[in-house]
Amino acid sequence: MGKFTIGWCASCNLPLLAGSCERCGGSSQEVQITPPGDVRPAFEGDLDLLSETVDRQFGEGVGKKIFPNDKLVLLNSTPAIDRADEVIMDGCVLGLLRYDPKELKFEFSPRCEGARRIFGAGGGKWVKIDEGAVKPVLDGSNVLAPGVIAADPKIEADEEVYILSPDDLVLAVGRSRMGASSMMDGRKGMAVKIRQVEPPRKPSILKGGQTWEDAVEANRKFLKKSEEKAKHFIRSVVEKIPRQLAVAYSGGKDSLATLLLVREAGEDPTIIFVDTGLEFPETVENVRRVARSFGLKLIVEAAGDAFWQAFEFFGPPGRDYRWCCKTCKLGPTAKLIREKFPGGCIVFLGQRKYESDRRYRQPRIWGNPWVPGQIGASPIKDWKALHVWLYIFYKGAEFNSLYKSGFSRIGCWMCPASEIWEFKLVEKKHPELWQRWDEVLKAYASESGYPDEWLSHAFWRWQALPEGQLRLAQELGLKFEPKPRAPCGKIKYRILPGFSPCKDGQISVEGSFDRTPDLERAANLLTTLGEVRSSEKLGVIKVKIHGAEASVFRTGKFRVIARDERRAVESASLIVKGIIRADGCVGCGVCASRCPRGAIFISGGHAVITQACTKCLECYEYCPVLYFE
Ligand code: SF4
Ligand code: SF4
């Protein structure tokens, strides 16, 4: 994705959205960061977390010395299987704050500049190397034991350390591969595996005393200009599409900025809020307060207990099994639009292209096939998170207090798209909410025969674990094989078609059977529908059916993704028939005698499909298991 940077004014020590600082007129210096570079401010909760983590790792009191209260800190989320934020202060990246999904704790991995400050604060563990080892380390070598001239005696193997030159300047950071005594007793071998190097120097500490108001001042013209552009967009949409006007306000920062802009454009929109029944109390309260403060009409559509009722049949929602968006969001949204806006409406939403690939590709104005009559439009599509936040600060708007507690996004508190650290924060902030979810998941885990880690490490977020999670499960020595469930009688199933508003409008059908399928038999029978790939390790069968892709999980759940609704629903119906046949086959042989290709034989009391199958579906016509369904 190339180089990503954010601007910084070194003389004012403030982040910049444009090329120069409007406070001092100085030019912006670029700070290189990891894509997509959607940086956000660190709030009180984040700063406390940073300080606590640094203190635990590098010594009491070091955290506050490195991250004093009078400096602005930014966080840049980087791709990882749980939280991994680059921490930016004084115009440079000081390190990575990451949540370890195996050990279930936060860690701060300093870059050289972070380590210089830790060293300056008298914290951390150090290894001093001789002059002859400096150049090889700067050239990319690890630190070898013979090059070590001194080391913190407390160092043990596999600890965070920084490397000092003979004149006590930090030049590298890494992890120890042996304890201090082994480093010093002249043994051979790698003493420290290096993560990052820089020429040895003193820390580049800039002056403190900044506030977010200062950051607004440094970016005022840019904010004003982008506000004008957004207002122009809003007015042109309103002119072109003469319908009732609404803002979908979720209680989050993006929809707040959108609401502020629509107001600035001179409009008095209706605020619509879909309460999924899984909202934080702070969010519900914030929505009401914001509507009151602007004197705007608020329409709330509540999903009520829909999630908990549907859970009974569908089980835990997953990133690859997102039934909850449909019951809790799509359904109530469609109802609200149908009932309150019978003539259709334009809904301004706070969607930004930096949030996901799909949003990147989505146009600025779009129609929603699942919510007829609604035209969506986003005035902040090109804004980054920092831009949104500076605009909110610029307008002095009150925002959801959850951000200050350390949450980086607002939504359902048990959303399967959340990371483990977020769940830990929910548990801490709202134990009463978490307790209910914990009890429901514990009961499900015990029924399915899953170990405790399925819950503690939040593996419930997938039906089939992706690569990184699978590796983590293997490291923890875990396997998730559900206890077979095979109730007597006819197979029962339920499906939920629709687009997933939380999954960027992906069109899918999620379904659940009341039993776990025999994957081997199902994989064979489903070859009548399309190309089948099955993975015993992941516990999933994938079937390609005419422009749709179906995944049947060993848990008895399934999902079909397609480009359009018709294809998704038709494919799901075929999957259901295939699974019913595989489950109920009595080996009567009717299909074998009807198959025009002779592609079926009976073995062990079941139909077996061979490679001669041309997927004509003739055999489905005569199968008595389907006939009596
Ligand atoms: S009738 Fe024969 S060829 Fe046609 S789908 Fe069934 S097994 Fe395949
Ligand atoms: S027709 Fe008979 S043998 Fe063929 S799948 Fe149905 S029950 Fe099994």
Side-chain angles (χ1 to χ4, degrees), residues 518-534 541-546 550 552 571 574-579 581-582 591 595 597-601 607-620:
D518 179 326
L519 280 197
E520 204 182 322
R521 255 162 62 190
N524 174 259
L525 208 135
L526 293 177
T527 57
T528 51
L529 303 180
E531 187 196 326
V532 170
R533 279 179 301 128
S534 62
I541 306 168
K542 291 193 185 262
V543 193
K544 282 202 169 133
I545 322 173
H546 311 304
V552 179
S571 304
L574 286 171
I575 288 289
V576 166
K577 286 183 177 160
I579 296 292
R581 267 182 86 189
C591 55
C595 171
R597 307 292 300 180
I600 306 178
F601 67 93
V608 178
I609 314 298
T610 69
Q611 285 188 345
C613 171
T614 56
K615 309 176 197 333
C616 69
L617 305 184
E618 187 94 3
C619 52
Y620 282 72

Side-chain angles (χ1 to χ4, degrees), residues 174-236:
R175 283 193 90 82
S176 59
R177 283 296 170 91
M178 54 177 71
S181 55
S182 303
M183 290 182 196
M184 296 307 300
D185 70 6
R187 278 192 215 171
K188 288 187 176 164
M190 192 197 298
V192 181
K193 170 96 178 127
I194 296 299
R195 188 174 62 244
Q196 195 227 342
V197 286
E198 272 177 11
R201 59 174 169 80
K202 292 199 165 136
S204 319
I205 297 175
L206 302 182
K207 67 170 185 206
Q210 295 77 27
T211 64
W212 285 108
E213 286 70 37
D214 297 333
V216 167
E217 207 187 317
N219 291 283
R220 190 175 293 275
K221 264 194 225 149
F222 180 85
L223 291 169
K224 191 77 203 133
K225 208 166 141 193
S226 50
E227 179 184 65
E228 285 307 317
K229 270 165 83 177
K231 278 161 59 179
H232 178 73
F233 169 76
I234 292 163
R235 286 185 189 127
S236 72

